[in-house]
Amino acid sequence: MATKHTAKQQTVLVGVTGGIGAYKACELVRTLMRRGFRVKVVMTEAATRFVTPLTFRTLTREPVATSLWADEPGDPVHHISLAQEADVVVVAPCTANVLAKIAHGRADDLLTTTVLATEAPVVLAPAMNVHMWRKDITQHNVEALRARGFVVVAPASGELACGDVGEGRLAAVEDIADAVEAEARRVHGLAGVRVLVTAGPTYEPIDAVRFIGNRSSGKTGYAIAEEAARRGAEVTLISGPTALPDPFEVRVVRVTTAAEMRDAALTAWPDTDVVIASAAVSDVRPARAYVGKLKKDALPEAIELERNPDVLAELGALNDGSRVVVGFAAETGDPVAEARRKLAAKRCDLVVANDVSGELGFGTDANRVIFVTATAAEELPVMGKRAIARELLDRVARIRSERLGT
Ligand code: CTP
């Protein structure tokens, strides 16, 4: 597993694009270096019209990359090495154009190619004219980026280079550096921690082709598994049937039924520090599964059901307090009260309650959730599943370090 070690000095890749705020990137570079980071700079062609590569080279004492076609000696795939070397990437200033390109996954220069190739967290600090910033297409791009887990440090208000007054100025350098530092801290926040995630639905067979299941897409659990791996955790993902590809650097155990999920979870339990049960496990299964496909004339009038094991409750019961256990609760009533009930019944440290009465929830990319513990209920704004995964793992890391007294 490609984990980087905490002791090593962390590298921040600063991407500079062609806006008047480019000169402030010099101050950002100095601030990040003062805070202990190794800093490398990538510039777009347009950025070099505002500040010269030599300026950044002098500040960082590192080569400054500006083109896909001018490699560092001995490095034929520069965008990949830069992408891998970075613990955090920050683009400041980020023009409307580069923001749009990143939002759409375009990669037509060294900077956007590196942003697409990196697995490191990416902080964007947009700066542009107020009307460009307020355009719904720009706002849409910002929302899409945030939903995908990019950190966007919103621009500040004031007098702009073009003479207009409004929001669009590059955020304060200290604020951008704070956002970078917060991401850098997260990067190794789960180094070596063994995380078990359950995800997706379970299918309970009626016969060879029919089953009882539900509409869970598995997206939340996969996002959690991927994000945990990115933070250095050793992740086992026990997944019911989904259409999703295996996340990188994650051990995936594919199962079909609740009974199989339980067996896989109990097998993994002894080597687990954190459990996150996001699976929408079917509560019941047909009491008997027919061999082969039943002809329609042979279909029974009623299907007798029996209860499935509760995977989370079984793991919670095994917990001697050394593990962190997180459950989910899909609610249409009073989410906090119900989540608290499940928290106690299944011996969880935290329950993620989500309101599935509206259009958000199963199969959607965004969700509104409440993090419920024995003492607090923290309601988060509507956000993408990746962003929810990040928030959740921040809380998990905090609970774990409180528990370990670190
Ligand atoms: N869970 C589980 N095994 C089950 C049922 C649920 O592991 N057989 C876990 C889910 O992964 C989730 C939590 O328990 O973390 C959900 O609990 P549940 O009591 O099923 O809540 P809801 O799905 O919200 O359903 P209900 O309110 O109807 O009880």
Side-chain angles (χ1 to χ4, degrees):
M1 192 162 285
T3 43
K4 294 169 187 158
H5 295 289
T6 13
K8 159 180 156 295
Q9 186 185 30
Q10 288 181 295
T11 299
V12 177
L13 185 70
V14 177
V16 185
T17 73
I20 183 64
Y23 75 94
K24 293 190 194 160
C26 301
E27 193 48 43
L28 176 64
V29 164
R30 290 172 62 102
T31 305
L32 291 171
M33 288 174 69
R34 265 201 305 274
R35 294 190 187 192
F37 294 104
R38 170 177 175 241
V39 177
K40 287 192 86 165
V41 174
V42 174
M43 304 176 76
T44 61
E45 171 70 33
T48 63
R49 308 277 175 137
F50 291 89
V51 185
T52 70
L54 181 63
T55 311
F56 289 112
R57 192 185 172 109
T58 310
L59 289 173
T60 60
R61 295 186 205 94
E62 299 274 357
V64 173
T66 55
S67 163
L68 272 169
W69 314 116
D71 300 322
E72 272 181 51
D75 187 358
V77 274
H78 202 185
H79 57 288
I80 302 298
S81 58
L82 285 169
Q84 286 175 346
E85 201 177 2
D87 291 287
V88 181
V89 176
V90 54
V91 184
C94 185
T95 59
N97 180 43
V98 172
L99 187 90
K101 286 205 284 187
I102 296 173
H104 292 270
R106 293 198 58 181
D108 62 358
D109 60 14
L110 181 62
L111 175 56
T112 48
T113 309
T114 304
V115 168
L116 190 60
T118 194
E119 284 189 64
V122 180
V123 176
L124 303 172
M128 63 195 74
N129 167 274
V130 57
H131 303 296
M132 292 167 84
W133 172 251
R134 285 187 189 164
K135 265 287 152 59
D136 57 355
I137 185 70
T138 302
Q139 289 304 313
H140 177 84
N141 288 337
V142 169
E143 267 171 46
L145 286 161
R146 283 192 168 134
R148 291 201 147 88
F150 288 78
V151 176
V152 180
V153 184
S157 251
E159 195 179 329
L160 304 174
C162 53
D164 279 346
V165 175
E167 58 287 7
R169 290 159 63 108
L170 186 68
V173 165
E174 291 293 327
D175 292 347
I176 303 170
D178 285 350
V180 171
E181 220 177 324
E183 293 310 304
R185 256 199 311 274
R186 283 187 172 122
V187 172
H188 303 293
L190 293 172
V193 179
R194 298 163 304 173
V195 177
L196 172 66
V197 181
T198 69
T202 62
Y203 288 178
E204 312 297 332
I206 297 169
D207 66 9
V209 298
R210 301 177 179 93
F211 60 85
I212 295 175
N214 60 67
R215 282 202 285 263
S216 166
S217 66
K219 284 178 185 168
T220 299
Y222 277 59
I224 293 167
E226 200 168 305
E227 181 65 24
R230 212 162 81 164
R231 296 180 186 200
E234 289 169 28
V235 185
T236 300
L237 171 65
I238 302 176
S239 173
T242 70
L244 303 171
D246 289 2
F248 282 120
E249 311 258 18
V250 167
R251 188 171 80 92
V252 182
V253 182
R254 300 254 175 199
V255 297
T256 305
T257 64
E260 289 168 8
M261 185 170 277
R262 167 183 179 272
D263 290 348
L266 288 177
T267 304
W269 170 260
D271 299 314
T272 298
D273 303 306
V274 172
V275 172
I276 301 178
S278 73
V281 185
S282 175
D283 292 309
V284 292
R285 65 181 170 221
R288 65 166 293 197
Y290 293 88
V291 179
K293 178 186 173 234
L294 281 177
K295 290 301 216 182
K296 58 178 165 298
D297 294 340
L299 282 173
E301 286 290 306
I303 297 172
E304 192 190 332
L305 300 175
E306 61 188 24
R307 290 207 88 75
N308 263 327
D310 189 315
V311 185
L312 173 61
E314 286 194 30
L315 297 181
L318 290 174
N319 192 11
D320 58 5
S322 62
R323 270 80 154 193
V324 178
V325 178
V326 176
F328 276 68
E331 303 300 343
T332 50
D334 175 355
V336 177
E338 265 306 291
R340 281 246 160 82
R341 195 180 59 73
K342 285 174 191 167
L343 188 87
K346 305 194 187 196
R347 299 189 46 201
C348 298
D349 298 285
L350 188 154
V351 167
V352 181
N354 65 328
D355 187 347
V356 289
S357 53
E359 70 274 20
L360 295 171
F362 276 18
T364 59
D365 283 319
N367 218 335
R368 180 185 288 119
V369 300
I370 310 171
F371 291 153
V372 182
T373 63
T375 51
E378 187 187 353
E379 190 165 352
L380 275 66
V382 175
M383 56 173 76
K385 291 185 172 176
R386 187 68 193 236
I388 292 173
R390 290 157 52 89
E391 296 291 335
L392 176 62
L393 291 172
D394 285 353
R395 305 308 182 283
V396 166
R398 205 175 302 151
I399 295 173
R400 199 176 133 74
S401 65
E402 278 166 17
R403 179 123 345 138
L404 299 176
T406 53

